[in-house]
């Protein structure tokens, strides 16, 4: 389902400044999926342009992954109030948009548990699944999903940073 800038499919529409569409190369075979727009993303209309985005940019550069060569998107396209985690209902309402984003992708990096649980459809423990790849069927389309840490989880955790950097490096081979 194409993203509607006036979307009212879930209650997140009432608190957002704008719907935040995917950015980067929309035709890339590789996508990075985060959780939800934060305050700066909500203001600027682009995913990962705030603090987590700066961490992501730095790790992508270190991994040799060019931000303009991948698609970057989120599980939900509107900012949740107080930056809380999106609910299961909100993620389900936004799923047709995520399915649209990912319909031609072959390799997806799920940044954090919201993205990973949304794509795999079950509860996960990050320490058990970090940097594992899963075969996922999304709207009849097969793709590989590598689960890893969200950049925000890395801000004070060098170990998580190393794991996320390795995942980003793995994506380079799929471009
Ligand atoms: N965190 C996310 O998951 N996505 C963004 O776009 C920004 C921060």
């Amino acid at each position: 389902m194409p993203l509607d800038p006036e979307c009212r499919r879930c209650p997140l529409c009432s608190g957002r400044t704008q719907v935040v569409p995917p950015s980067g190369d929309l035709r890339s075979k590789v996508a990075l999926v985060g959780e939800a727009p934060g305050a700066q993303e909500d203001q600027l209309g682009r995913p990962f342009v705030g603090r987590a985005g700066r961490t992501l940019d730095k790790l992508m550069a270190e991994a040799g992954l060019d931000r303009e060569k991948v698609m970057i998107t989120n599980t939900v396209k509107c900012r949740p109030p107080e930056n809380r985690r999106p609910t299961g209902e909100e993620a389900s309402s936004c799923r047709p948009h995520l399915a649209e984003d990912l319909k031609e992708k072959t390799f997806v990096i799920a940044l954090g548990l919201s993205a990973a649980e949304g794509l795999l459809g079950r509860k996960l423990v990050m320490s058990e699944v970090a940097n594992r790849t899963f075969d996922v069927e999304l709207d009849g389309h097969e793709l590989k999903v590598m689960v890893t840490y969200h950049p925000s989880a890395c801000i004070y955790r060098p170990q998580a940073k190393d794991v996320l950097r390795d995942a980003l490096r793995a994506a380079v081979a799929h471009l």
Side-chain angles (χ1 to χ4, degrees), residues 104-118:
E104 290 181 358
K105 306 297 172 242
T106 54
F107 187 74
V108 171
I109 296 193
L111 298 167
L113 281 178
S114 285
E117 292 180 351

Side-chain angles (χ1 to χ4, degrees), residues 34-38 41 46-49 52 74 150 152:
E35 180 176 277
E41 290 77 15
R46 267 167 63 87
F48 284 102
V49 289
N74 278 304
H150 191 280
S152 316

Side-chain angles (χ1 to χ4, degrees), residues 7-101:
C7 180
R8 308 218 151 262
R9 289 173 60 86
C10 87
L12 294 181
C13 64
S14 57
R16 71 173 182 231
T17 305
Q18 59 189 313
V19 172
V20 179
S23 72
D25 180 357
L26 306 189
R27 299 175 45 165
S28 175
K29 293 285 168 211
V30 174
L32 311 188
V33 180
E35 180 176 277
Q40 307 210 41
E41 290 77 15
D42 175 66
Q43 286 298 319
L44 297 173
R46 267 167 63 87
F48 284 102
V49 289
R51 187 168 189 201
R54 287 192 292 280
T55 302
L56 183 63
D57 283 345
K58 182 165 179 286
L59 293 174
M60 286 179 84
E62 288 169 7
L65 184 61
D66 184 343
R67 184 168 172 141
E68 296 311 316
K69 293 219 167 105
V70 298
M71 170 193 275
I72 302 189
T73 190
N74 278 304
T75 303
V76 300
K77 310 298 191 249
C78 299
R79 182 191 181 197
E82 321 290 333
N83 295 340
R84 64 157 170 77
R85 215 178 146 172
T87 64
E89 288 76 34
E90 290 158 356
S92 301
S93 301
C94 215
R95 195 169 170 86
H97 300 135
L98 185 61
E100 176 83 17
D101 295 346

Side-chain angles (χ1 to χ4, degrees), residues 96-165:
H97 300 135
L98 185 61
E100 176 83 17
D101 295 346
L102 302 184
K103 73 180 180 200
E104 290 181 358
K105 306 297 172 242
T106 54
F107 187 74
V108 171
I109 296 193
L111 298 167
L113 281 178
S114 285
E117 292 180 351
L119 286 166
L120 270 60
R122 61 188 167 90
K123 286 263 165 222
L124 299 165
V125 175
M126 183 55 79
S127 58
E128 291 171 4
V129 292
N131 288 16
R132 278 180 53 195
T133 303
F134 298 85
D135 290 315
V136 168
E137 198 196 300
L138 192 67
D139 281 8
H141 160 72
E142 293 277 333
L143 44 90
K144 297 215 175 286
V145 176
M146 179 176 272
V147 174
T148 193
Y149 289 96
H150 191 280
S152 316
C154 298
I155 290 172
Y156 300 109
R157 291 177 58 198
Q159 258 174 304
K161 221 180 243 183
D162 292 342
V163 177
L164 171 53
R165 189 188 301 102

